Amino acid sequence: MAKTKTAKAPAIANKTPEAASADAETPEQSSPQTFKPETWFPAPVWSRRVQQADRINTHILEVLDDLESRTENITRSNVGGWHSKANLHMTNELAEIRRIIGNACVSCANHLSFDFDKFELFYQEMWLNKNGPNDFNKAHVHPNSMLSGAYYAKVPPSSGNIEFYDPVRERVMSVFPVKERTRINTQAMEYKAEEGLLLIFPGWLQHSVQPNRSNDFRVSISFNMGFKPKGSR
């Protein structure tokens, strides 16, 4: 059941608009430091640096070269580039980064108070992305996935960041002017792609990848994590 909070009616609730306006505080009187909002329905994004990333990334690029030479490219959200099959979690070629990502997802699920007594996480998909010059990924979500994310193995300068969008689409019906964009009023934000960076986010959070404006290619690993009752197949 959703948590309910009871708010007291404002003192000016029954006054005329003129009186209410007269009693309202000016921006100088009302300080954001004394009247802070509570944040509900968050869209969390977790980020961390993977240790020994240089060694891990070298291995990932070797696996990429091998897969690209003998397997077909598939298309999902990618416009251009090379996208592997999404079954890499079922092989041992990327076992180390798979373990690192899996452990990180467990930490994220704990943060969400996930019920590990009765349920467990499992890999639904994992795949490699290679975006060359001008390649990008259209805005999309990852349906039926609890957690999704990306790990960056090779990132030339200006090769494209990942961009997230406000999931509350009704908010566009009431856009107001702001002095600056902050976490509480932004409609889109981006994370700078960097080698060794791991990002994890809810599968429902819409995102895209900006065009690669470099002369080299960017490489990342993406994944989807689901859940199931403990002991089930």
Side-chain angles (χ1 to χ4, degrees):
M1 180 178 294
K3 188 179 292 186
T4 302
K5 291 182 70 71
T6 302
K8 294 181 179 179
I12 61 174
N14 296 322
K15 295 185 179 182
T16 65
E18 293 78 7
S21 177
D23 285 356
E25 292 180 322
T26 66
E28 290 74 19
Q29 293 172 316
S30 179
S31 169
Q33 302 304 317
T34 60
F35 191 39
K36 294 182 179 180
E38 295 179 349
T39 302
W40 295 91
F41 316 116
V45 177
W46 293 269
S47 65
R48 60 163 288 190
R49 293 283 183 174
V50 170
Q51 296 182 351
Q52 302 183 39
D54 289 345
R55 176 183 59 78
I56 293 172
N57 294 345
T58 297
H59 175 68
I60 290 173
L61 295 179
E62 291 172 352
V63 172
L64 170 70
D65 288 342
D66 176 59
L67 289 175
E68 190 177 14
S69 67
R70 61 183 176 83
T71 63
E72 63 180 5
N73 171 46
I74 67 174
T75 300
R76 286 190 170 178
S77 67
N78 52 307
V79 179
W82 185 85
H83 186 304
S84 77
K85 293 182 178 180
N87 62 351
L88 300 187
H89 60 291
M90 301 176 68
T91 72
N92 290 322
E93 294 170 298
L94 297 172
E96 184 174 14
I97 191 64
R98 179 184 65 196
R99 175 184 57 79
I100 291 170
I101 292 171
N103 289 339
C105 285
V106 168
S107 296
C108 297
N110 276 323
H111 186 88
L112 297 172
S113 297
F114 180 79
D115 186 0
F116 277 109
D117 293 335
K118 300 177 181 178
F119 298 87
E120 60 187 1
L121 300 181
F122 73 98
Y123 271 103
Q124 296 170 310
E125 297 179 305
M126 189 168 80
W127 64 95
L128 273 162
N129 306 289
K130 178 181 179 181
N131 279 21
N134 299 316
D135 297 337
F136 65 97
N137 291 72
K138 296 179 290 187
H140 63 284
V141 297
H142 295 210
N144 302 315
S145 296
M146 177 179 168
L147 295 171
S148 299
Y151 172 75
Y152 296 95
K154 179 179 178 179
V155 185
S158 303
S159 58
N161 296 331
I162 186 170
E163 189 166 4
F164 295 99
Y165 305 101
D166 182 359
V168 184
R169 298 182 182 180
E170 292 81 358
R171 232 181 321 243
V172 301
M173 299 175 65
S174 181
V175 179
F176 52 89
V178 298
K179 293 181 179 179
E180 61 177 342
R181 286 296 176 188
T182 65
R183 289 181 182 229
I184 203 169
N185 66 31
T186 191
Q187 295 173 310
M189 58 84 62
E190 63 185 72
Y191 276 82
K192 182 180 179 181
E194 296 179 343
E195 293 175 6
L197 176 66
L198 171 62
L199 294 177
I200 300 174
F201 47 87
W204 47 257
L205 185 58
Q206 190 180 45
H207 55 284
S208 65
V209 178
Q210 299 167 347
N212 182 351
R213 300 305 187 194
S214 76
N215 294 320
D216 203 350
F217 60 89
R218 184 187 66 246
V219 176
S220 64
I221 292 177
S222 297
F223 55 90
N224 290 325
M225 195 75 69
F227 66 91
K228 62 182 179 180
K230 273 191 171 179
S232 64
R233 290 178 177 267

